[in-house]
Amino acid sequence: MESSIETLLKSELTKLGQQLRTLRTERGWTLSELSEQADVSEAYLSRLEGGERQPSLAVLFNLARVYDVSLPDLFGSTLENSKPVASERKASAGVVIRAGDRLLQEGNGLRYTSLAGGNHLADLHPLRVIVPVDRQGDHHYQHSGEEWLYVLSGQLILTLVDEQFLLNPGDAAHFDAFLPHDISATGEQDAEILLVACTPTRSLLKSYLSEKQS
């Protein structure tokens, strides 16, 4: 006979799995797409959503990061049952993002933070991106949509197809993101830019902000 602890654990794993499936389907992602973003196998994710696997804390933190939610939210403990703090309040016309609420993330040698309200289904994706001057690699990326960027500090090299442009603070660029492109810093300091993409989030994450999968 199962102990009460085992019964409770099974119940909680089932709830967790249901919430994970809800978060994924709300964003319109397949298991394959989530696997690429979270760097976790499809089979593992499938077992999590089925309540058949007990996840590690590292996996939970990673999924919370990908879904842009808190750990309690993974277990269905959403803000519906609590009052949001002032910085989290959403107005009927949009959302305000406070400077202290933005988390700096890393991907493909870049440091970045979202300047949007965490709506993964939105068409517009503004980011603050720091391009380290010692960033390694020579990649060209292509994805659907278009991009606009503005250099805040440092010097940026924008590569479009086989042409390079040196951008200084105050310079901006607007281009079709389907053109092969890349960004890199030059000079003695990191480059900091505002990047606004009109593209599916997954396409953007698979370009600049995530490592290529082998």
Side-chain angles (χ1 to χ4, degrees), residues 106-110 112 127 129 135 139-143 147 149 158-160 175 177 179 181-184 193 195 197 203-212:
E106 294 189 15
N108 200 17
L110 300 170
Y112 66 95
L127 300 166
V129 180
R135 179 184 180 226
H139 306 288
H140 281 74
Y141 304 101
Q142 290 178 271
H143 53 84
E147 290 188 20
L149 62 82
L158 170 65
T159 302
L160 288 176
F175 54 92
L179 296 174
H181 59 277
D182 189 26
I183 52 176
S184 59
I193 67 173
L195 173 66
S203 297
L204 181 63
L205 289 174
K206 286 182 68 178
S207 60
Y208 289 129
L209 308 181
S210 64
E211 297 289 353
K212 291 292 184 180

PDB file of all heavy atoms in Angstrom, residues 106-110 112 127 129 135 139-143 147 149 158-160 175 177 179 181-184 193 195 197 203-212:
ATOM      1  N   GLU A 106      21.612  35.561 -20.061  1.00  0.00           N
ATOM      2  CA  GLU A 106      22.733  35.360 -20.970  1.00  0.00           C
ATOM      3  C   GLU A 106      22.368  34.331 -22.020  1.00  0.00           C
ATOM      4  O   GLU A 106      21.671  33.356 -21.745  1.00  0.00           O
ATOM      5  CB  GLU A 106      23.978  34.906 -20.198  1.00  0.00           C
ATOM      6  CG  GLU A 106      24.518  35.964 -19.251  1.00  0.00           C
ATOM      7  CD  GLU A 106      25.871  35.581 -18.671  1.00  0.00           C
ATOM      8  OE1 GLU A 106      26.502  34.648 -19.217  1.00  0.00           O
ATOM      9  OE2 GLU A 106      26.287  36.213 -17.689  1.00  0.00           O
ATOM     10  N   GLY A 107      22.862  34.546 -23.232  1.00  0.00           N
ATOM     11  CA  GLY A 107      22.638  33.599 -24.308  1.00  0.00           C
ATOM     12  C   GLY A 107      23.534  33.905 -25.484  1.00  0.00           C
ATOM     13  O   GLY A 107      23.635  35.065 -25.911  1.00  0.00           O
ATOM     14  N   ASN A 108      24.234  32.900 -25.980  1.00  0.00           N
ATOM     15  CA  ASN A 108      25.090  33.033 -27.162  1.00  0.00           C
ATOM     16  C   ASN A 108      26.122  34.148 -27.010  1.00  0.00           C
ATOM     17  O   ASN A 108      26.407  34.883 -27.949  1.00  0.00           O
ATOM     18  CB  ASN A 108      24.231  33.267 -28.402  1.00  0.00           C
ATOM     19  CG  ASN A 108      24.976  32.934 -29.682  1.00  0.00           C
ATOM     20  OD1 ASN A 108      25.991  32.249 -29.664  1.00  0.00           O
ATOM     21  ND2 ASN A 108      24.478  33.421 -30.793  1.00  0.00           N
ATOM     22  N   GLY A 109      26.651  34.284 -25.798  1.00  0.00           N
ATOM     23  CA  GLY A 109      27.687  35.271 -25.565  1.00  0.00           C
ATOM     24  C   GLY A 109      27.177  36.681 -25.348  1.00  0.00           C
ATOM     25  O   GLY A 109      27.958  37.614 -25.178  1.00  0.00           O
ATOM     26  N   LEU A 110      25.854  36.873 -25.336  1.00  0.00           N
ATOM     27  CA  LEU A 110      25.243  38.180 -25.134  1.00  0.00           C
ATOM     28  C   LEU A 110      24.564  38.227 -23.763  1.00  0.00           C
ATOM     29  O   LEU A 110      24.140  37.207 -23.234  1.00  0.00           O
ATOM     30  CB  LEU A 110      24.195  38.465 -26.215  1.00  0.00           C
ATOM     31  CG  LEU A 110      24.683  38.475 -27.667  1.00  0.00           C
ATOM     32  CD1 LEU A 110      23.493  38.528 -28.606  1.00  0.00           C
ATOM     33  CD2 LEU A 110      25.612  39.654 -27.910  1.00  0.00           C
ATOM     34  N   TYR A 112      21.293  40.123 -21.964  1.00  0.00           N
ATOM     35  CA  TYR A 112      20.108  40.837 -22.419  1.00  0.00           C
ATOM     36  C   TYR A 112      19.003  40.799 -21.369  1.00  0.00           C
ATOM     37  O   TYR A 112      18.988  39.949 -20.479  1.00  0.00           O
ATOM     38  CB  TYR A 112      19.589  40.233 -23.726  1.00  0.00           C
ATOM     39  CG  TYR A 112      19.077  38.818 -23.588  1.00  0.00           C
ATOM     40  CD1 TYR A 112      17.720  38.560 -23.386  1.00  0.00           C
ATOM     41  CD2 TYR A 112      19.947  37.728 -23.645  1.00  0.00           C
ATOM     42  CE1 TYR A 112      17.254  37.261 -23.248  1.00  0.00           C
ATOM     43  CE2 TYR A 112      19.483  36.435 -23.503  1.00  0.00           C
ATOM     44  CZ  TYR A 112      18.137  36.203 -23.313  1.00  0.00           C
ATOM     45  OH  TYR A 112      17.682  34.924 -23.166  1.00  0.00           O
ATOM     46  N   LEU A 127      14.271  44.693 -26.428  1.00  0.00           N
ATOM     47  CA  LEU A 127      15.306  44.140 -25.558  1.00  0.00           C
ATOM     48  C   LEU A 127      16.418  45.164 -25.345  1.00  0.00           C
ATOM     49  O   LEU A 127      16.703  45.974 -26.221  1.00  0.00           O
ATOM     50  CB  LEU A 127      15.933  42.882 -26.182  1.00  0.00           C
ATOM     51  CG  LEU A 127      15.047  41.684 -26.476  1.00  0.00           C
ATOM     52  CD1 LEU A 127      15.796  40.719 -27.384  1.00  0.00           C
ATOM     53  CD2 LEU A 127      14.644  40.989 -25.187  1.00  0.00           C
ATOM     54  N   VAL A 129      20.332  44.949 -24.886  1.00  0.00           N
ATOM     55  CA  VAL A 129      21.343  43.923 -25.139  1.00  0.00           C
ATOM     56  C   VAL A 129      22.738  44.498 -24.913  1.00  0.00           C
ATOM     57  O   VAL A 129      23.051  45.598 -25.378  1.00  0.00           O
ATOM     58  CB  VAL A 129      21.241  43.384 -26.589  1.00  0.00           C
ATOM     59  CG1 VAL A 129      22.299  42.306 -26.829  1.00  0.00           C
ATOM     60  CG2 VAL A 129      19.851  42.830 -26.858  1.00  0.00           C
ATOM     61  N   ARG A 135      33.376  38.911 -27.189  1.00  0.00           N
ATOM     62  CA  ARG A 135      32.471  37.829 -27.594  1.00  0.00           C
ATOM     63  C   ARG A 135      33.089  37.039 -28.732  1.00  0.00           C
ATOM     64  O   ARG A 135      33.536  37.604 -29.730  1.00  0.00           O
ATOM     65  CB  ARG A 135      31.135  38.413 -28.028  1.00  0.00           C
ATOM     66  CG  ARG A 135      30.116  37.367 -28.504  1.00  0.00           C
ATOM     67  CD  ARG A 135      28.864  38.051 -29.001  1.00  0.00           C
ATOM     68  NE  ARG A 135      27.885  37.080 -29.466  1.00  0.00           N
ATOM     69  CZ  ARG A 135      27.216  37.193 -30.601  1.00  0.00           C
ATOM     70  NH1 ARG A 135      27.424  38.236 -31.392  1.00  0.00           N
ATOM     71  NH2 ARG A 135      26.334  36.285 -30.945  1.00  0.00           N
ATOM     72  N   HIS A 139      28.902  34.312 -36.466  1.00  0.00           N
ATOM     73  CA  HIS A 139      27.666  33.662 -36.879  1.00  0.00           C
ATOM     74  C   HIS A 139      26.821  34.618 -37.706  1.00  0.00           C
ATOM     75  O   HIS A 139      26.870  35.830 -37.526  1.00  0.00           O
ATOM     76  CB  HIS A 139      26.856  33.212 -35.659  1.00  0.00           C
ATOM     77  CG  HIS A 139      27.627  32.346 -34.710  1.00  0.00           C
ATOM     78  ND1 HIS A 139      27.976  31.045 -34.994  1.00  0.00           N
ATOM     79  CD2 HIS A 139      28.123  32.613 -33.473  1.00  0.00           C
ATOM     80  CE1 HIS A 139      28.651  30.544 -33.969  1.00  0.00           C
ATOM     81  NE2 HIS A 139      28.755  31.473 -33.040  1.00  0.00           N
ATOM     82  N   HIS A 140      26.034  34.070 -38.578  1.00  0.00           N
ATOM     83  CA  HIS A 140      25.029  34.832 -39.291  1.00  0.00           C
ATOM     84  C   HIS A 140      23.677  34.190 -38.996  1.00  0.00           C
ATOM     85  O   HIS A 140      23.537  32.968 -39.034  1.00  0.00           O
ATOM     86  CB  HIS A 140      25.298  34.827 -40.805  1.00  0.00           C
ATOM     87  CG  HIS A 140      26.368  35.782 -41.222  1.00  0.00           C
ATOM     88  ND1 HIS A 140      27.700  35.541 -40.985  1.00  0.00           N
ATOM     89  CD2 HIS A 140      26.304  36.992 -41.850  1.00  0.00           C
ATOM     90  CE1 HIS A 140      28.412  36.552 -41.448  1.00  0.00           C
ATOM     91  NE2 HIS A 140      27.603  37.448 -41.982  1.00  0.00           N
ATOM     92  N   TYR A 141      22.698  35.016 -38.686  1.00  0.00           N
ATOM     93  CA  TYR A 141      21.391  34.524 -38.301  1.00  0.00           C
ATOM     94  C   TYR A 141      20.336  35.017 -39.276  1.00  0.00           C
ATOM     95  O   TYR A 141      20.457  36.093 -39.877  1.00  0.00           O
ATOM     96  CB  TYR A 141      21.046  34.994 -36.883  1.00  0.00           C
ATOM     97  CG  TYR A 141      22.091  34.591 -35.868  1.00  0.00           C
ATOM     98  CD1 TYR A 141      23.030  35.514 -35.416  1.00  0.00           C
ATOM     99  CD2 TYR A 141      22.139  33.295 -35.382  1.00  0.00           C
ATOM    100  CE1 TYR A 141      23.999  35.143 -34.493  1.00  0.00           C
ATOM    101  CE2 TYR A 141      23.098  32.925 -34.460  1.00  0.00           C
ATOM    102  CZ  TYR A 141      24.023  33.847 -34.020  1.00  0.00           C
ATOM    103  OH  TYR A 141      24.984  33.482 -33.113  1.00  0.00           O
ATOM    104  N   GLN A 142      19.280  34.248 -39.403  1.00  0.00           N
ATOM    105  CA  GLN A 142      18.145  34.611 -40.229  1.00  0.00           C
ATOM    106  C   GLN A 142      16.879  34.161 -39.522  1.00  0.00           C
ATOM    107  O   GLN A 142      16.828  33.066 -38.953  1.00  0.00           O
ATOM    108  CB  GLN A 142      18.205  33.913 -41.599  1.00  0.00           C
ATOM    109  CG  GLN A 142      19.289  34.396 -42.526  1.00  0.00           C
ATOM    110  CD  GLN A 142      19.289  33.602 -43.816  1.00  0.00           C
ATOM    111  OE1 GLN A 142      19.944  32.565 -43.920  1.00  0.00           O
ATOM    112  NE2 GLN A 142      18.549  34.069 -44.809  1.00  0.00           N
ATOM    113  N   HIS A 143      15.870  34.991 -39.532  1.00  0.00           N
ATOM    114  CA  HIS A 143      14.569  34.595 -38.992  1.00  0.00           C
ATOM    115  C   HIS A 143      13.507  35.527 -39.559  1.00  0.00           C
ATOM    116  O   HIS A 143      13.809  36.558 -40.170  1.00  0.00           O
ATOM    117  CB  HIS A 143      14.566  34.627 -37.462  1.00  0.00           C
ATOM    118  CG  HIS A 143      15.026  35.918 -36.870  1.00  0.00           C
ATOM    119  ND1 HIS A 143      14.202  36.999 -36.699  1.00  0.00           N
ATOM    120  CD2 HIS A 143      16.247  36.314 -36.419  1.00  0.00           C
ATOM    121  CE1 HIS A 143      14.874  37.993 -36.147  1.00  0.00           C
ATOM    122  NE2 HIS A 143      16.130  37.611 -35.978  1.00  0.00           N
ATOM    123  N   GLU A 147      13.877  43.936 -37.706  1.00  0.00           N
ATOM    124  CA  GLU A 147      14.535  44.399 -36.490  1.00  0.00           C
ATOM    125  C   GLU A 147      14.923  45.870 -36.615  1.00  0.00           C
ATOM    126  O   GLU A 147      15.225  46.355 -37.710  1.00  0.00           O
ATOM    127  CB  GLU A 147      15.781  43.571 -36.187  1.00  0.00           C
ATOM    128  CG  GLU A 147      15.477  42.160 -35.741  1.00  0.00           C
ATOM    129  CD  GLU A 147      16.708  41.415 -35.271  1.00  0.00           C
ATOM    130  OE1 GLU A 147      17.711  42.081 -34.926  1.00  0.00           O
ATOM    131  OE2 GLU A 147      16.675  40.176 -35.250  1.00  0.00           O
ATOM    132  N   LEU A 149      17.467  48.566 -34.268  1.00  0.00           N
ATOM    133  CA  LEU A 149      18.366  48.672 -33.123  1.00  0.00           C
ATOM    134  C   LEU A 149      18.930  50.078 -33.014  1.00  0.00           C
ATOM    135  O   LEU A 149      19.027  50.804 -34.002  1.00  0.00           O
ATOM    136  CB  LEU A 149      19.486  47.628 -33.196  1.00  0.00           C
ATOM    137  CG  LEU A 149      20.482  47.654 -34.360  1.00  0.00           C
ATOM    138  CD1 LEU A 149      21.607  48.664 -34.132  1.00  0.00           C
ATOM    139  CD2 LEU A 149      21.080  46.259 -34.572  1.00  0.00           C
ATOM    140  N   LEU A 158      27.521  45.940 -37.256  1.00  0.00           N
ATOM    141  CA  LEU A 158      26.349  45.235 -37.763  1.00  0.00           C
ATOM    142  C   LEU A 158      26.710  44.637 -39.115  1.00  0.00           C
ATOM    143  O   LEU A 158      27.121  45.361 -40.031  1.00  0.00           O
ATOM    144  CB  LEU A 158      25.168  46.189 -37.901  1.00  0.00           C
ATOM    145  CG  LEU A 158      23.946  45.639 -38.652  1.00  0.00           C
ATOM    146  CD1 LEU A 158      23.312  44.481 -37.885  1.00  0.00           C
ATOM    147  CD2 LEU A 158      22.925  46.751 -38.898  1.00  0.00           C
ATOM    148  N   THR A 159      26.567  43.329 -39.225  1.00  0.00           N
ATOM    149  CA  THR A 159      26.842  42.641 -40.486  1.00  0.00           C
ATOM    150  C   THR A 159      25.511  42.266 -41.128  1.00  0.00           C
ATOM    151  O   THR A 159      24.690  41.574 -40.523  1.00  0.00           O
ATOM    152  CB  THR A 159      27.677  41.377 -40.270  1.00  0.00           C
ATOM    153  OG1 THR A 159      28.904  41.719 -39.619  1.00  0.00           O
ATOM    154  CG2 THR A 159      27.984  40.694 -41.583  1.00  0.00           C
ATOM    155  N   LEU A 160      25.304  42.739 -42.347  1.00  0.00           N
ATOM    156  CA  LEU A 160      24.120  42.401 -43.133  1.00  0.00           C
ATOM    157  C   LEU A 160      24.582  41.741 -44.422  1.00  0.00           C
ATOM    158  O   LEU A 160      25.257  42.383 -45.238  1.00  0.00           O
ATOM    159  CB  LEU A 160      23.291  43.643 -43.451  1.00  0.00           C
ATOM    160  CG  LEU A 160      22.514  44.275 -42.291  1.00  0.00           C
ATOM    161  CD1 LEU A 160      21.822  45.549 -42.755  1.00  0.00           C
ATOM    162  CD2 LEU A 160      21.492  43.300 -41.736  1.00  0.00           C
ATOM    163  N   PHE A 175      16.193  46.742 -40.446  1.00  0.00           N
ATOM    164  CA  PHE A 175      16.440  45.813 -41.549  1.00  0.00           C
ATOM    165  C   PHE A 175      15.513  44.610 -41.479  1.00  0.00           C
ATOM    166  O   PHE A 175      14.916  44.302 -40.440  1.00  0.00           O
ATOM    167  CB  PHE A 175      17.898  45.341 -41.546  1.00  0.00           C
ATOM    168  CG  PHE A 175      18.358  44.741 -40.241  1.00  0.00           C
ATOM    169  CD1 PHE A 175      18.267  43.372 -40.005  1.00  0.00           C
ATOM    170  CD2 PHE A 175      18.887  45.553 -39.243  1.00  0.00           C
ATOM    171  CE1 PHE A 175      18.694  42.826 -38.812  1.00  0.00           C
ATOM    172  CE2 PHE A 175      19.315  45.014 -38.036  1.00  0.00           C
ATOM    173  CZ  PHE A 175      19.219  43.648 -37.817  1.00  0.00           C
ATOM    174  N   ALA A 177      14.864  40.981 -41.029  1.00  0.00           N
ATOM    175  CA  ALA A 177      15.595  39.984 -40.246  1.00  0.00           C
ATOM    176  C   ALA A 177      15.840  38.691 -41.014  1.00  0.00           C
ATOM    177  O   ALA A 177      16.599  37.833 -40.546  1.00  0.00           O
ATOM    178  CB  ALA A 177      14.844  39.677 -38.952  1.00  0.00           C
ATOM    179  N   LEU A 179      17.395  38.667 -43.772  1.00  0.00           N
ATOM    180  CA  LEU A 179      18.744  38.812 -44.319  1.00  0.00           C
ATOM    181  C   LEU A 179      19.749  38.235 -43.331  1.00  0.00           C
ATOM    182  O   LEU A 179      19.625  38.450 -42.122  1.00  0.00           O
ATOM    183  CB  LEU A 179      19.067  40.285 -44.560  1.00  0.00           C
ATOM    184  CG  LEU A 179      18.227  41.033 -45.594  1.00  0.00           C
ATOM    185  CD1 LEU A 179      18.583  42.509 -45.592  1.00  0.00           C
ATOM    186  CD2 LEU A 179      18.421  40.427 -46.981  1.00  0.00           C
ATOM    187  N   HIS A 181      22.430  38.107 -40.783  1.00  0.00           N
ATOM    188  CA  HIS A 181      22.921  39.249 -40.015  1.00  0.00           C
ATOM    189  C   HIS A 181      23.578  38.801 -38.712  1.00  0.00           C
ATOM    190  O   HIS A 181      23.382  37.691 -38.246  1.00  0.00           O
ATOM    191  CB  HIS A 181      21.790  40.228 -39.706  1.00  0.00           C
ATOM    192  CG  HIS A 181      20.658  39.610 -38.918  1.00  0.00           C
ATOM    193  ND1 HIS A 181      19.646  38.893 -39.519  1.00  0.00           N
ATOM    194  CD2 HIS A 181      20.376  39.609 -37.585  1.00  0.00           C
ATOM    195  CE1 HIS A 181      18.790  38.473 -38.607  1.00  0.00           C
ATOM    196  NE2 HIS A 181      19.216  38.886 -37.419  1.00  0.00           N
ATOM    197  N   ASP A 182      24.369  39.706 -38.147  1.00  0.00           N
ATOM    198  CA  ASP A 182      25.023  39.449 -36.863  1.00  0.00           C
ATOM    199  C   ASP A 182      25.438  40.781 -36.266  1.00  0.00           C
ATOM    200  O   ASP A 182      25.528  41.802 -36.963  1.00  0.00           O
ATOM    201  CB  ASP A 182      26.241  38.542 -37.043  1.00  0.00           C
ATOM    202  CG  ASP A 182      26.808  38.090 -35.691  1.00  0.00           C
ATOM    203  OD1 ASP A 182      26.037  38.045 -34.709  1.00  0.00           O
ATOM    204  OD2 ASP A 182      28.016  37.815 -35.621  1.00  0.00           O
ATOM    205  N   ILE A 183      25.696  40.784 -34.950  1.00  0.00           N
ATOM    206  CA  ILE A 183      26.175  41.978 -34.259  1.00  0.00           C
ATOM    207  C   ILE A 183      27.404  41.606 -33.437  1.00  0.00           C
ATOM    208  O   ILE A 183      27.490  40.514 -32.882  1.00  0.00           O
ATOM    209  CB  ILE A 183      25.094  42.587 -33.343  1.00  0.00           C
ATOM    210  CG1 ILE A 183      24.512  41.520 -32.393  1.00  0.00           C
ATOM    211  CG2 ILE A 183      24.002  43.255 -34.149  1.00  0.00           C
ATOM    212  CD1 ILE A 183      23.506  42.071 -31.400  1.00  0.00           C
ATOM    213  N   SER A 184      28.354  42.539 -33.367  1.00  0.00           N
ATOM    214  CA  SER A 184      29.546  42.336 -32.553  1.00  0.00           C
ATOM    215  C   SER A 184      30.035  43.697 -32.086  1.00  0.00           C
ATOM    216  O   SER A 184      29.721  44.725 -32.691  1.00  0.00           O
ATOM    217  CB  SER A 184      30.643  41.605 -33.334  1.00  0.00           C
ATOM    218  OG  SER A 184      31.005  42.345 -34.494  1.00  0.00           O
ATOM    219  N   ILE A 193      22.964  48.151 -26.615  1.00  0.00           N
ATOM    220  CA  ILE A 193      21.995  48.576 -27.617  1.00  0.00           C
ATOM    221  C   ILE A 193      20.570  48.326 -27.146  1.00  0.00           C
ATOM    222  O   ILE A 193      20.324  47.520 -26.248  1.00  0.00           O
ATOM    223  CB  ILE A 193      22.206  47.837 -28.961  1.00  0.00           C
ATOM    224  CG1 ILE A 193      21.894  46.341 -28.801  1.00  0.00           C
ATOM    225  CG2 ILE A 193      23.619  48.042 -29.486  1.00  0.00           C
ATOM    226  CD1 ILE A 193      21.920  45.575 -30.120  1.00  0.00           C
ATOM    227  N   LEU A 195      17.273  46.805 -28.822  1.00  0.00           N
ATOM    228  CA  LEU A 195      16.910  45.993 -29.980  1.00  0.00           C
ATOM    229  C   LEU A 195      15.410  45.736 -29.936  1.00  0.00           C
ATOM    230  O   LEU A 195      14.896  45.233 -28.943  1.00  0.00           O
ATOM    231  CB  LEU A 195      17.671  44.668 -29.959  1.00  0.00           C
ATOM    232  CG  LEU A 195      17.282  43.624 -31.016  1.00  0.00           C
ATOM    233  CD1 LEU A 195      17.648  44.133 -32.403  1.00  0.00           C
ATOM    234  CD2 LEU A 195      17.971  42.299 -30.737  1.00  0.00           C
ATOM    235  N   ALA A 197      12.446  43.842 -31.985  1.00  0.00           N
ATOM    236  CA  ALA A 197      12.180  42.857 -33.036  1.00  0.00           C
ATOM    237  C   ALA A 197      10.684  42.669 -33.201  1.00  0.00           C
ATOM    238  O   ALA A 197       9.937  42.592 -32.219  1.00  0.00           O
ATOM    239  CB  ALA A 197      12.839  41.522 -32.695  1.00  0.00           C
ATOM    240  N   SER A 203      11.674  32.592 -32.867  1.00  0.00           N
ATOM    241  CA  SER A 203      12.644  32.889 -33.920  1.00  0.00           C
ATOM    242  C   SER A 203      13.776  33.744 -33.393  1.00  0.00           C
ATOM    243  O   SER A 203      14.940  33.550 -33.734  1.00  0.00           O
ATOM    244  CB  SER A 203      11.945  33.603 -35.085  1.00  0.00           C
ATOM    245  OG  SER A 203      10.976  32.773 -35.675  1.00  0.00           O
ATOM    246  N   LEU A 204      13.442  34.716 -32.552  1.00  0.00           N
ATOM    247  CA  LEU A 204      14.466  35.595 -31.994  1.00  0.00           C
ATOM    248  C   LEU A 204      15.371  34.821 -31.052  1.00  0.00           C
ATOM    249  O   LEU A 204      16.591  34.956 -31.084  1.00  0.00           O
ATOM    250  CB  LEU A 204      13.801  36.755 -31.255  1.00  0.00           C
ATOM    251  CG  LEU A 204      14.745  37.791 -30.637  1.00  0.00           C
ATOM    252  CD1 LEU A 204      15.547  38.487 -31.748  1.00  0.00           C
ATOM    253  CD2 LEU A 204      13.962  38.814 -29.840  1.00  0.00           C
ATOM    254  N   LEU A 205      14.779  33.985 -30.205  1.00  0.00           N
ATOM    255  CA  LEU A 205      15.576  33.218 -29.249  1.00  0.00           C
ATOM    256  C   LEU A 205      16.516  32.256 -29.962  1.00  0.00           C
ATOM    257  O   LEU A 205      17.624  31.992 -29.504  1.00  0.00           O
ATOM    258  CB  LEU A 205      14.656  32.440 -28.303  1.00  0.00           C
ATOM    259  CG  LEU A 205      13.879  33.286 -27.290  1.00  0.00           C
ATOM    260  CD1 LEU A 205      12.897  32.412 -26.529  1.00  0.00           C
ATOM    261  CD2 LEU A 205      14.827  33.985 -26.328  1.00  0.00           C
ATOM    262  N   LYS A 206      16.066  31.733 -31.099  1.00  0.00           N
ATOM    263  CA  LYS A 206      16.903  30.779 -31.829  1.00  0.00           C
ATOM    264  C   LYS A 206      18.016  31.479 -32.604  1.00  0.00           C
ATOM    265  O   LYS A 206      18.908  30.828 -33.118  1.00  0.00           O
ATOM    266  CB  LYS A 206      16.039  29.964 -32.797  1.00  0.00           C
ATOM    267  CG  LYS A 206      15.175  28.920 -32.114  1.00  0.00           C
ATOM    268  CD  LYS A 206      14.395  28.115 -33.115  1.00  0.00           C
ATOM    269  CE  LYS A 206      15.301  27.238 -33.946  1.00  0.00           C
ATOM    270  NZ  LYS A 206      14.558  26.409 -34.901  1.00  0.00           N
ATOM    271  N   SER A 207      17.960  32.811 -32.701  1.00  0.00           N
ATOM    272  CA  SER A 207      19.007  33.507 -33.428  1.00  0.00           C
ATOM    273  C   SER A 207      20.055  34.055 -32.474  1.00  0.00           C
ATOM    274  O   SER A 207      20.994  33.367 -32.106  1.00  0.00           O
ATOM    275  CB  SER A 207      18.396  34.616 -34.277  1.00  0.00           C
ATOM    276  OG  SER A 207      17.702  35.550 -33.480  1.00  0.00           O
ATOM    277  N   TYR A 208      19.911  35.301 -32.039  1.00  0.00           N
ATOM    278  CA  TYR A 208      20.932  35.920 -31.218  1.00  0.00           C
ATOM    279  C   TYR A 208      21.113  35.242 -29.864  1.00  0.00           C
ATOM    280  O   TYR A 208      22.218  35.093 -29.360  1.00  0.00           O
ATOM    281  CB  TYR A 208      20.563  37.379 -30.913  1.00  0.00           C
ATOM    282  CG  TYR A 208      20.645  38.322 -32.074  1.00  0.00           C
ATOM    283  CD1 TYR A 208      19.580  39.136 -32.369  1.00  0.00           C
ATOM    284  CD2 TYR A 208      21.783  38.398 -32.872  1.00  0.00           C
ATOM    285  CE1 TYR A 208      19.641  40.032 -33.432  1.00  0.00           C
ATOM    286  CE2 TYR A 208      21.852  39.280 -33.915  1.00  0.00           C
ATOM    287  CZ  TYR A 208      20.771  40.090 -34.195  1.00  0.00           C
ATOM    288  OH  TYR A 208      20.825  40.971 -35.220  1.00  0.00           O
ATOM    289  N   LEU A 209      20.008  34.868 -29.225  1.00  0.00           N
ATOM    290  CA  LEU A 209      20.031  34.665 -27.778  1.00  0.00           C
ATOM    291  C   LEU A 209      20.167  33.229 -27.325  1.00  0.00           C
ATOM    292  O   LEU A 209      20.172  32.955 -26.132  1.00  0.00           O
ATOM    293  CB  LEU A 209      18.764  35.263 -27.164  1.00  0.00           C
ATOM    294  CG  LEU A 209      18.504  36.720 -27.575  1.00  0.00           C
ATOM    295  CD1 LEU A 209      17.234  37.223 -26.902  1.00  0.00           C
ATOM    296  CD2 LEU A 209      19.680  37.612 -27.230  1.00  0.00           C
ATOM    297  N   SER A 210      20.274  32.283 -28.222  1.00  0.00           N
ATOM    298  CA  SER A 210      20.435  30.901 -27.790  1.00  0.00           C
ATOM    299  C   SER A 210      21.555  30.238 -28.585  1.00  0.00           C
ATOM    300  O   SER A 210      21.799  30.566 -29.737  1.00  0.00           O
ATOM    301  CB  SER A 210      19.134  30.103 -27.980  1.00  0.00           C
ATOM    302  OG  SER A 210      18.803  30.027 -29.342  1.00  0.00           O
ATOM    303  N   GLU A 211      22.220  29.299 -27.924  1.00  0.00           N
ATOM    304  CA  GLU A 211      23.303  28.582 -28.597  1.00  0.00           C
ATOM    305  C   GLU A 211      22.735  27.676 -29.669  1.00  0.00           C
ATOM    306  O   GLU A 211      21.635  27.137 -29.534  1.00  0.00           O
ATOM    307  CB  GLU A 211      24.076  27.726 -27.575  1.00  0.00           C
ATOM    308  CG  GLU A 211      24.758  28.546 -26.485  1.00  0.00           C
ATOM    309  CD  GLU A 211      25.939  29.332 -27.021  1.00  0.00           C
ATOM    310  OE1 GLU A 211      26.295  29.121 -28.188  1.00  0.00           O
ATOM    311  OE2 GLU A 211      26.488  30.148 -26.271  1.00  0.00           O
ATOM    312  N   LYS A 212      23.459  27.503 -30.728  1.00  0.00           N
ATOM    313  CA  LYS A 212      23.038  26.580 -31.792  1.00  0.00           C
ATOM    314  C   LYS A 212      23.044  25.155 -31.260  1.00  0.00           C
ATOM    315  O   LYS A 212      23.965  24.730 -30.572  1.00  0.00           O
ATOM    316  CB  LYS A 212      23.971  26.692 -32.994  1.00  0.00           C
ATOM    317  CG  LYS A 212      23.844  28.024 -33.720  1.00  0.00           C
ATOM    318  CD  LYS A 212      22.502  28.126 -34.383  1.00  0.00           C
ATOM    319  CE  LYS A 212      22.407  29.416 -35.189  1.00  0.00           C
ATOM    320  NZ  LYS A 212      21.102  29.569 -35.852  1.00  0.00           N
TER     321      LYS A 212
END
